[in-house]
Amino acid sequence: MNIYDIAKKANVSVATVSRVINQSGPVRESTRKKVEKAIAEMHYTPSAIARSLSSRQTNNIGIIVPDIFNPFYARVLTGITRVTRDIGYNTFFFNAEENIERLHQILDALKGQNLNGIILNPVLDQDEKTVRLMKELEAMNVAIVLLDRDLRGMNCNGVFSDDFGGAYAAVEHLIRIGHRRIGIFRGPQQSRPGYERFMGYVQALRDNGIQVEEELIGEYDFMLNGHVYEQTKRILRKKNPPTALFTSNNYGTLECMKSLLDMDLCIGKDIGLIGFDDIDTLHYANRSISAVDRDVERMGAKAMTLLQYCIAEKAEEVEKQKIVIDTHLVLRGSEKCDMIAAYAD
Amino acid sequence: MNIYDIAKKANVSVATVSRVINQSGPVRESTRKKVEKAIAEMHYTPSAIARSLSSRQTNNIGIIVPDIFNPFYARVLTGITRVTRDIGYNTFFFNAEENIERLHQILDALKGQNLNGIILNPVLDQDEKTVRLMKELEAMNVAIVLLDRDLRGMNCNGVFSDDFGGAYAAVEHLIRIGHRRIGIFRGPQQSRPGYERFMGYVQALRDNGIQVEEELIGEYDFMLNGHVYEQTKRILRKKNPPTALFTSNNYGTLECMKSLLDMDLCIGKDIGLIGFDDIDTLHYANRSISAVDRDVERMGAKAMTLLQYCIAEKAEEVEKQKIVIDTHLVLRGSEKCDMIAAYAD
DNA sequence: CTGAAAGCGCTTACAG
DNA sequence: CTGAAAGCGCTTACAG
């Protein structure tokens, strides 16, 4: 069944049927009624495919995340779909699984899809092929918004969080309550969140006259693979161990916590700990960790809203926007350490 | 740029270009080379939309989950996309947010999309409108596979887990180590997982000559909304409280655990606890809970494989398949209780 | 092995 | 306010 069947049944032309369906152009009230009746009686649903082909508008967008299993991205997705559902967009979902080649494949396949826009959480912040593919997509008139992670070599719209400010606030707080030796597990330095969070740490130390010490710096790839677990042990075995630790994402926090617990250290007493990104599940286990938090669903929603704006404007002339979402420090006691309690204000 | 541009450039007809792109029909080697060269030089990507319209094959499928924020579904999604990526399908993602009206909207919108198939995790197991919409979709030749939850009134393919067997094994184990008074928080009884898991509990008790007691049964809607938290308190305040509790999903386990911890009870000592579905995060907090576990990614992958099979067969004559994935009991000590240690074998 | 042409189901100027 | 017709970019018998 197609638009011709409806036209015949309602005794009008397909142009008229199209007009009532899309509310494009004028239709006499009585004609509209007839057409609507025919549509209802025949349970007609217009073909989105045919519509897309002739109108050159798919109303589809693509969302690419690096790891849907990380609750952070599940939350982002919730925020995004909460907006799309209201504006009638459909969402193609892709999980790159933190694999750069997989991302390339996805982007390549997307070229033929005629999408209105893409929200991308890049796997790597620095990757020529990603940039090349994104530029091809952009040239095909698909709007692009970056989320959380940046993409060097590509000036484009994005929604990020105040990674620097969040880390700075956390470390500054640790200093204010008396910590002087603060360790950090930093993320990849070629990635915006990894770099900015580390810079926030460095700046907070400097502003308080504390030297940055190599041996208090651990590094990992933001994954859940035991790196932070091992490094936590190593860093605490040093002759002059830190009294507090700062981790750069939720996975790092989990591993660090596990490591401390396995060493029989009491978090918030024997050692202070603040993470980046809150971990809900821990509240139910009464093991909450202080954290730099942000409204992740809002980030997703903002990204979608920005994308929609870009699609509407379409003019390449429009200034690219970088939206930065605030973070806030949530303190729950895990930041404390008895060893330095005397200094606390 | 379209297929005509390529045809012109390669000095062949569009039919030939189409043949080399799709490897449909014979093409002389030298001709193929010419066409491929033209495609490469012009950076041509065929339009998936136009292709879909003329071939009546979108190669798109839809995935509808009730709540992407629940790690269970994030995992399912991982399993699904791990298969789709290999077979060139694109995935429309929808999050119903446990809202039945939202699901109806989604299903309705999907009618025009010409999907090859849908994997559905229904919001409710019993809902006439869902069934009606699914049947309409089925009539439009879209393949359907149910996941985890069932849909009454609809005979269709599905991938489930052995809810009954898993619950039975858990409760039987509790009995074997000496528990006689075992409480349960059961899920919605109109839902397959809710009902089957409760039946497993009932059967295990009966088979061991233990009476099912109303006052040891709590009920909730599988959501994270405080119901189980409150009921745990209430059930333990009874004159003759249970020595062990069984929860019917991961959210219930979290709330129950929190409630027990807030009452200063030591899980695995003062009271036994087994949940349904494992909660990874708790391992990092050294608060692991024994659980009925299942290979969720595999469930997702199986669902996608089954869907693919249905799409390929297409014949409505093919028998509907209900695949049931095994569960296994993972014991970590939380099931124990000192009060009944004497009975343990 | 290759091409001409109809058709997929819509939208959209254009004419009236 | 309404309709005839071209066009969106492909695929697919059919003919040769």
Side-chain angles (χ1 to χ4, degrees), chain A residues 251-272:
Chain A
Y251 283 167
T253 308
L254 285 177
E255 290 198 6
C256 185
M257 174 173 55
K258 171 83 174 148
S259 198
L260 296 173
L261 291 172
D262 284 355
M263 292 163 84
D264 274 324
L265 291 174
C266 179
I267 299 171
K269 219 158 170 299
D270 299 327
I271 183 149

Side-chain angles (χ1 to χ4, degrees), chain A residues 48 85 91 93 112 258 285-287, chain B residues 48 91 93 112 258 285-287:
Chain A
R85 75 165 181 217
T91 308
F93 168 79
K258 171 83 174 148
N286 281 358
R287 280 271 161 83
Chain B
T91 308
F93 169 79
K258 171 84 174 149
N286 280 358
R287 281 270 159 81

Side-chain angles (χ1 to χ4, degrees), chain A residues 3 7 12-20 24 27:
Chain A
I3 199 170
V12 296
S13 74
V14 295
T16 300
V17 176
S18 178
R19 280 186 201 104
V20 351
S24 59
V27 179

Side-chain angles (χ1 to χ4, degrees), chain B residues 170-197:
Chain B
V171 176
E172 190 179 48
H173 181 82
L174 287 171
I175 296 168
R176 194 164 348 118
I177 62 173
H179 292 283
R180 307 295 295 175
R181 292 188 67 73
I182 302 168
I184 184 175
F185 295 104
R186 66 181 192 189
Q189 291 303 291
Q190 330 83 279
S191 93
R192 182 200 147 99
Y195 181 74
E196 293 286 321
R197 291 171 197 174

Side-chain angles (χ1 to χ4, degrees), chain A residues 51-113:
Chain A
R51 217 170 195 167
S52 298
L53 184 59
S54 56
S55 70
R56 256 155 265 165
Q57 269 278 354
T58 55
N59 276 4
N60 289 159
I61 60 159
I63 312 289
I64 309 169
V65 303
D67 171 25
I68 186 57
F69 198 62
N70 187 329
F72 173 78
Y73 298 109
R75 220 167 211 156
V76 162
L77 204 58
T78 306
I80 292 173
T81 53
R82 202 159 275 173
V83 175
T84 51
R85 75 165 181 217
D86 292 330
I87 56 181
Y89 276 66
N90 284 138
T91 308
F92 276 119
F93 168 79
F94 299 95
N95 187 193
E97 302 183 37
E98 297 284 10
N99 179 332
I100 190 70
E101 274 151 42
R102 175 71 191 116
L103 176 62
H104 296 159
Q105 280 174 32
I106 293 168
L107 258 16
D108 201 62
L110 252 30
K111 288 198 291 190
Q113 293 297 144

